[in-house]
Amino acid sequence: MSLRLGDDAPNFTAKTSIGEINFYEYLGDSWGVLFSHPADYTPVCTTELGRTALLKEEFAKRGVKVLALSVDPVDKHHGWINDINETQQCEVDFPIIADEDRTVAGLYDMIHPNASATATVRSLFIIGPDKKVKLMITYPASTGRNFYEVLRVIDSLQLTANYSVATPANWNDGEDVIVVPAVSTEDAIAKFPKGLNIVKPYLRYTPQPNK
């Protein structure tokens, strides 16, 4: 059965580049990003892990813990991390899971047989503090991910988890948001004191409430 939005994120215990971890224990009350790589020593993945490491402070200020996954063993991970740090001018200090038996890849449906019978696709999962799957993005192995988009989505998820709003197309942190249809205009006027811009009865903008 494929994993879907709102499902419980499968827990697991696995060997990683920083030692054995239990996924739930590692996350604690934090948000989490779990993303997979087809294999170690692959060029696109090298740039992705480097970019993630360089964005460490951005993930930290959002209360997000990051984990990567590859089907290669831990000793190979350590050698690859050295290459990543050297070529990307970074320091990878988040765990890279050694999923040699593909247990985690199976739990998260990361192997798509029509794309490759053995390699994981570039799947990325955002997990909430409630351990529910909040977002899934899957790229082909040839296309690197945009981690600024990942941060943008996290901003949206965290905002909309706490307020009765949604974020419009191309939204970025600090821009106006949309009042969800479940809130009446009368209630919205009271709920959002910064004001409403009513374009249509179902399309009502308000300044971002946590700014």
Side-chain angles (χ1 to χ4, degrees):
M1 176 85 89
S2 297
L3 205 58
R4 303 203 174 177
L5 295 183
D7 287 353
D8 290 330
N11 193 20
F12 56 84
T13 298
K15 295 177 182 177
T16 80
S17 56
I18 65 167
E20 187 171 277
I21 65 165
N22 174 278
F23 184 48
Y24 279 14
E25 290 177 4
Y26 175 78
L27 290 183
D29 294 327
S30 300
W31 288 72
V33 171
L34 171 65
F35 61 116
S36 61
H37 300 274
D40 290 2
Y41 296 105
T42 49
V44 176
C45 300
T46 298
T47 65
E48 290 186 324
L49 288 167
R51 177 57 57 185
T52 302
L54 290 169
L55 291 171
K56 176 181 178 179
E57 292 184 6
E58 293 297 323
F59 285 108
K61 76 182 185 183
R62 292 166 172 82
V64 178
K65 292 183 178 178
V66 176
L67 304 90
L69 174 146
S70 171
V71 296
D72 287 317
V74 168
D75 58 344
K76 201 171 179 182
H77 286 356
H78 287 305
W80 186 30
I81 287 169
N82 290 335
D83 279 7
I84 296 166
N85 292 343
E86 175 192 345
T87 62
Q88 307 302 306
Q89 292 80 53
C90 66
E91 183 179 349
V92 174
D93 58 5
F94 53 85
I96 303 178
I97 297 162
D99 193 32
E100 292 180 79
D101 62 3
R102 295 172 173 75
T103 297
V104 180
L107 288 172
Y108 283 82
D109 197 26
M110 292 173 175
I111 295 176
H112 294 191
N114 289 333
S116 168
T118 57
T120 59
V121 291
R122 281 198 166 82
S123 297
L124 182 145
F125 302 86
I126 296 178
I127 314 299
D130 57 1
K131 307 299 185 291
K132 303 284 188 184
V133 177
K134 304 298 183 183
L135 176 132
M136 300 183 291
I137 312 176
T138 297
Y139 291 73
S142 56
T143 302
R145 286 165 279 217
N146 184 331
F147 286 88
Y148 294 105
E149 168 64 6
V150 175
L151 291 171
R152 189 190 77 87
V153 168
I154 291 168
D155 287 338
S156 174
L157 289 168
Q158 293 182 342
L159 173 67
T160 57
N162 294 313
Y163 297 90
S164 301
V165 296
T167 55
N170 294 348
W171 174 88
N172 285 292
D173 188 43
E175 297 177 353
D176 286 358
V177 296
I178 293 171
V179 179
V180 297
V183 178
S184 69
T185 297
E186 182 181 1
D187 289 343
I189 291 169
K191 194 176 184 73
F192 301 105
K194 294 179 182 179
L196 291 184
N197 174 17
I198 303 172
V199 179
K200 293 284 185 181
Y202 60 87
L203 182 59
R204 301 159 300 167
Y205 291 90
T206 188
Q208 186 171 326
N210 63 345
K211 290 292 185 181

